[in-house]
Amino acid sequence: IDPMASADLIPPEFFAEVGLPAAQGTIKKIKGPTAYGLAGARVVPVIPYLNKSGVVKIDISAMDDLTEAKRLAAPDMVIGGNLNGISMCYWTEQEAEAAVKKAIAGGGPGGRFVLSEHHGELPWRVPMKILTTVAQAVQQWGTFPLNWVDGHVR
């Protein structure tokens, strides 16, 4: 997790110059597939650089557009996200289903998408009924083929 890589904190070019080489060095030492997360900070502006990092998955913030993230990501990159765990504490069941549909509509087409919380952990305060609603919505809307997506507003 590297929130400092976010364009909210540093220019993407500075990440490319300083952060990316550091990340690449660390990733090479890990003996297995790695993912890159920015702890809920915006990631889309640095995706072109993260494509060169050696990771197989990038976690996308709830503040980012998943369609744009998929467009910028390398063809073999897995995209994860982008549910906001803090907001989930206050969602209604209808909001939970809508968030799942929006995420699947943006990230699902073409595969290589893992629906997940964007920060890396769920707060204990997220109600079980919301987690159940998310799971049910994934079952209903996340099964391929995603024929419904073309008519969905992203």
Side-chain angles (χ1 to χ4, degrees):
I1 294 180
D2 184 8
M4 289 303 297
S6 174
D8 291 332
L9 300 174
I10 62 172
E13 299 76 20
F14 185 73
F15 171 74
E17 181 183 329
V18 177
L20 180 60
Q24 288 170 322
T26 301
I27 290 164
K28 285 180 185 174
K29 294 177 183 177
I30 298 171
K31 305 295 184 211
T34 56
Y36 211 96
L38 278 68
R42 287 183 318 118
V43 64
V44 165
V46 295
I47 288 176
Y49 303 114
L50 292 176
N51 287 333
K52 303 172 188 175
S53 68
V55 298
V56 298
K57 178 179 175 266
I58 303 171
D59 291 318
I60 306 301
S61 166
M63 296 178 287
D64 284 312
D65 181 285
L66 281 168
T67 303
E68 181 69 0
K70 288 281 290 253
R71 187 185 73 73
L72 292 171
D76 58 345
M77 185 70 70
V78 175
I79 297 296
N82 67 343
L83 302 180
N84 184 331
I86 302 297
S87 296
M88 290 173 75
C89 294
Y90 308 101
W91 280 353
T92 65
E93 292 167 271
Q94 293 78 19
E95 290 170 321
E97 182 176 8
V100 169
K101 279 185 80 171
K102 181 179 178 186
I104 291 171
R112 303 176 347 272
F113 175 65
V114 177
L115 180 73
S116 62
E117 193 277 339
H118 76 152
H119 188 272
E121 59 186 78
L122 285 172
W124 284 101
R125 290 196 57 209
V126 176
M128 184 56 70
K129 71 178 180 179
I130 297 304
L131 297 177
T132 301
T133 300
V134 166
Q136 290 169 342
V138 168
Q139 290 296 314
Q140 180 176 357
W141 302 108
T143 303
F144 284 92
L146 301 175
N147 295 329
W148 63 272
V149 169
D150 288 335
H152 182 74
V153 177
R154 296 180 197 189

